[in-house]
Amino acid sequence: MGYADVRRQDVSAAIAEYDELGKDAFLAKYRYAEARQYLLVHGGRRYDSKAIVGVAHRHLTGTALTPDEFSGGRATVGRHLAALGFRVEGMAPPGRVFLQPRGLRDGGAAHFANTVVKGVVLAEHAEALGPDLAALEALYPDGVAKLWGNTAPKYGYHAKAKALAARRVGDHVLFHAEHAFVAEAVILHLFDNEQAAASIWGSDRQGRTFTHMAALGDVRLYDPPLDARPALNAAGLGTVRHFMQAPDAFRLESPARDSTVAKPRLFSAEDMLNRLITLDRDQPAERIRKRQALALLWTIGQRVAHRKRWHSEEDFRSGVGELLRDFDDDPGPEVVADLFWHLQNTDVWTVDLDNTDPLAGFDDECDRLLESVVVRTRAITALRSRHLNRIAEDEDLLARLGLEGYARASSRSKPAGDREAPVSRRQRSGDTAERIRSIAEEVTALYDDTCQFCGTRLLTGVGFHSEAAHIRGLGEPHRGPDHISNALCLCPNCHAQFDRFGIYVDDEGVVRLVHNSEEVGELRRHPDHDIDDAHVRYHRSLCHITPPA
Ligand SMILES: [Zn+2]
C-alpha cells in the first residue's frame, strides 16, 4: 500500500497526532523536513502535507512511510489530499463545483441547519444507516455527521438526475438561497440509503425522501452571504433552480479573501417588472409569451383570491388549461404541461422538485414583492399591456381570475348590464339642489364639466358631459376614500387613460403619458378643490413609469 491508499480518517488521525506533539516533535519523530509549499490547511492551521500523509499511512497499515519512500508536492500528495476533501494551500479547490439550492421553504432551510450545520448524531440512526454506518463513523470520529440528501427527480432526463450521478468525493458543493451563496462544503462520501434518509428527514405520504445522500466536510458558512449573481451571470446561469454541476468556467472568489463583500442587493420591484415585460428571453414567439402571461396572471389570481401559492402540475394543467381554452387558442394539454416547467426561463418562476409532486409558483423574492398591492397592480398591468393587448375582453379575464379590482386605478370593473356606462356619469336633473349631492356631482359641478387635464368641455345633445374619476380607487384593493379630495372632473378620454394607467400626474402637476412621459396636459385646480397629493402619488405609483428614451 502506498500514500494513495491513505483515507480521510487516516489523515485526520495524523493531524490529531501532529496537534498533540507539536510541529517540531512530530517532524523529528518521523524524520521529515519542514515543508515549504502545498501546506495542508485544516481548522485554520497549517500542516506539512507530506509528513501528514506519511504518518497517516501508519494509521492505515501500522507503518509510517519514510520521506524517501514517496514524493511530496502538488501532483502527488497535494492532489490526493484534495481528492479526500482537504484544502491544500496553493492549489485550486479540488474537484468540481456543484450548486445546491438550500431549500425554497422552511423544509430545506431547516434541514440545512439541523443536518449540515448542527449535524446528525449517527448513533440515533444506527439501525437505519445499516451498512453505511461504519464508513460514516470513520469519517466523523466524534459521531456527528454532516449530511445532506437529494430526492430523485421525477424525470430521469432532468439535469438534476445527471448532476446527482456525476458527483464524486472531493467535489465542492455551494449552497444557494435567495440570490446568495450561504455555505460551501466538500463531499466526503456518497451513498444512497432510503431508510436512513427517512429516519433523518422523514418521508412524504408516498414514501419519497432524500435518498441520494452526501456526507460533507469542511462546511463553511458565509457570513454575510456572498452575492451569487456575478458568478452565476458570468457563467450564463440565471439562478440555481435545482442541484446542478457548475460549468467549467464557474469562478467564485473566496469570501475569505474578500471580506468586504457587500450584502446582496435586494431584488427590486423594477427588476421583477422588467422580467415580466421580457418574459422568456429565448422565446421570440409572441403567442407563447401570451400563454406565459396568462399562466402568470392565473397564478397571481390564485394567490389573491385563494391565498394559494404553490401549484402541483395537475392543478396548473387544469386551471391554466381552462384559461387558455377560453382566452387563447386551446393549445392542448402537452403545451400547458410544458409551460409549468418552461416558465422557469422567465426567472420569476420556480419549480420545487423536493416534493412528492413538483410544485411551482413565483419564486420567494417575487412572491414577497407581490404582497404589495401597488406592485401587484403594476405587475398585472405590465403583463396585460405587453403580452395581452390583443385580448379585447381582458377585463373579463381579470374578473374570471378574481382580479377585477386590478383592472383600473379606480378599482371598479364595468357595471353589469351597462358595459359602456361610466360608473360616475354625472346625472343632470332639476332637483340636485334639494338633495345631498354625490361626490361625483359635486366635483363635476365645481368645474362646470370642464376636464381638469385637457380643458375639454364636451357638448352632447342632452347637455355637457363630464365624468368624476376617483384618483385612488374605492374598495378592494386600493381602498381610497370616497371624498372630493380623492376625485377629479375629467372628460371621457382623459378618464379612460387615467383609469387604465395610460396617463399620470407628476409631482409638478404636469399630466404625462406613461409610456414615454410626453406632456399632454396640466392639472387644473379650482381654489375650492383641495386635492390630496398623497392620492395622486398613489396613482402614480401604480403606473409603470419608464423614463424618456
Ligand atoms: Zn380631458
Side-chain angles (χ1 to χ4, degrees), residues 451 453-454 456 491 494:
C451 177
F453 286 174
C454 70
T456 294
C491 74
C494 289

Side-chain angles (χ1 to χ4, degrees), residues 492-504:
N493 282 352
C494 289
H495 188 190
Q497 283 185 295
F498 185 71
D499 208 12
R500 292 169 178 79
F501 318 105
I503 53 179
Y504 67 98

Side-chain angles (χ1 to χ4, degrees), residues 178-456:
E178 310 219 17
H179 299 289
F181 291 120
V182 295
E184 66 169 68
V186 173
I187 297 176
L188 304 182
H189 181 56
L190 290 164
F191 58 110
D192 291 353
N193 189 329
E194 193 173 336
Q195 214 186 338
S199 172
I200 292 166
W201 295 295
S203 53
D204 61 34
R205 61 198 146 79
Q206 282 163 35
R208 269 177 36 120
T209 183
F210 306 91
T211 303
H212 303 292
M213 298 173 71
L216 302 174
D218 296 342
V219 177
R220 286 208 297 158
L221 302 180
Y222 297 158
D223 185 22
L226 185 66
D227 189 350
R229 282 169 292 195
L232 291 177
N233 289 341
L237 297 167
T239 183
V240 182
R241 298 193 184 100
H242 51 75
F243 184 76
M244 61 169 83
Q245 185 176 343
D248 289 341
F250 190 83
R251 287 285 174 277
L252 180 71
E253 281 308 307
S254 164
R257 263 175 276 147
D258 183 6
S259 55
T260 60
V261 171
K263 284 208 165 187
R265 185 179 66 86
L266 279 180
F267 183 68
S268 73
E270 302 304 322
D271 294 335
M272 181 181 71
L273 291 166
N274 286 333
R275 289 180 186 184
L276 294 177
I277 285 166
T278 313
L279 287 182
D280 190 341
R281 281 186 302 281
D282 305 327
Q283 186 47 263
E286 198 176 295
R287 70 195 161 84
I288 292 179
R289 290 202 307 271
K290 176 181 166 187
R291 288 172 195 154
Q292 293 179 334
L294 284 167
L296 292 175
L297 280 178
W298 176 83
T299 309
I300 295 173
Q302 291 287 309
R303 190 80 167 102
V304 170
H306 307 292
R307 305 299 304 162
K308 188 164 183 246
R309 176 172 171 196
W310 297 100
H311 308 282
S312 68
E313 197 175 340
E314 195 185 334
D315 291 350
F316 181 92
R317 282 164 82 146
S318 119
V320 174
E322 200 178 294
L323 200 65
L324 294 185
R325 272 198 297 284
D326 293 350
F327 291 93
D328 195 41
D329 53 1
D330 192 7
E334 287 82 15
V335 169
V336 182
D338 280 351
L339 260 181
F340 180 87
W341 298 95
H342 290 165
L343 272 172
Q344 291 183 106
N345 294 336
T346 62
D347 281 343
V348 298
W349 186 259
T350 190
V351 180
D352 184 352
L353 292 160
D354 286 337
N355 286 286
T356 315
D357 294 316
L359 294 175
F362 280 97
D363 69 23
D364 281 357
E365 295 201 305
C366 291
D367 188 71
R368 175 178 57 77
L369 290 167
L370 287 167
E371 290 278 311
S372 148
V373 171
V374 169
V375 174
R376 209 185 291 151
T377 306
R378 292 175 65 190
I380 291 167
T381 306
L383 290 169
R384 289 169 70 199
S385 66
R386 298 302 173 116
H387 308 293
L388 302 174
N389 49 9
R390 297 205 182 141
I391 298 186
E393 65 279 48
D394 81 339
E395 291 193 13
D396 293 343
L397 165 71
L398 294 186
R400 154 90 159 265
L401 295 171
L403 297 172
E404 58 271 35
Y406 297 86
R408 305 189 188 186
S410 62
S411 307
R412 293 180 177 171
S413 54
K414 293 173 184 176
D418 185 4
R419 304 183 54 81
E420 296 310 315
V423 175
S424 50
R425 179 192 291 158
R426 182 178 170 195
Q427 303 295 333
R428 290 237 168 190
S429 65
D431 60 353
T432 45
E434 281 102 67
R435 61 180 180 82
I436 297 167
R437 289 177 159 194
S438 70
I439 301 297
E441 286 165 341
E442 210 179 318
V443 74
T444 51
L446 193 59
Y447 290 90
D448 205 13
D449 292 315
T450 304
C451 177
Q452 280 182 262
F453 286 174
C454 70
T456 294

Side-chain angles (χ1 to χ4, degrees), residues 17-29:
E17 189 181 348
Y18 186 109
D19 286 342
E20 199 186 317
L21 294 177
K23 174 178 175 158
D24 293 341
F26 183 87
L27 293 179
K29 177 176 175 186

Side-chain angles (χ1 to χ4, degrees), residues 455-516:
T456 294
R457 192 162 180 250
L458 190 68
L459 180 62
T460 75
V462 291
F464 289 102
H465 174 85
S466 66
E467 295 174 8
H470 281 109
I471 304 168
R472 178 171 181 156
L474 309 186
E476 292 301 326
H478 304 304
R479 301 186 180 191
D482 193 14
H483 189 269
I484 194 161
S485 66
N486 184 34
L488 296 172
C489 172
L490 299 179
C491 74
N493 282 352
C494 289
H495 188 190
Q497 283 185 295
F498 185 71
D499 208 12
R500 292 169 178 79
F501 318 105
I503 53 179
Y504 67 98
V505 181
D506 75 12
D507 52 12
E508 287 168 351
V510 178
V511 181
R512 296 180 182 278
L513 291 175
V514 168
H515 80 274
N516 65 3

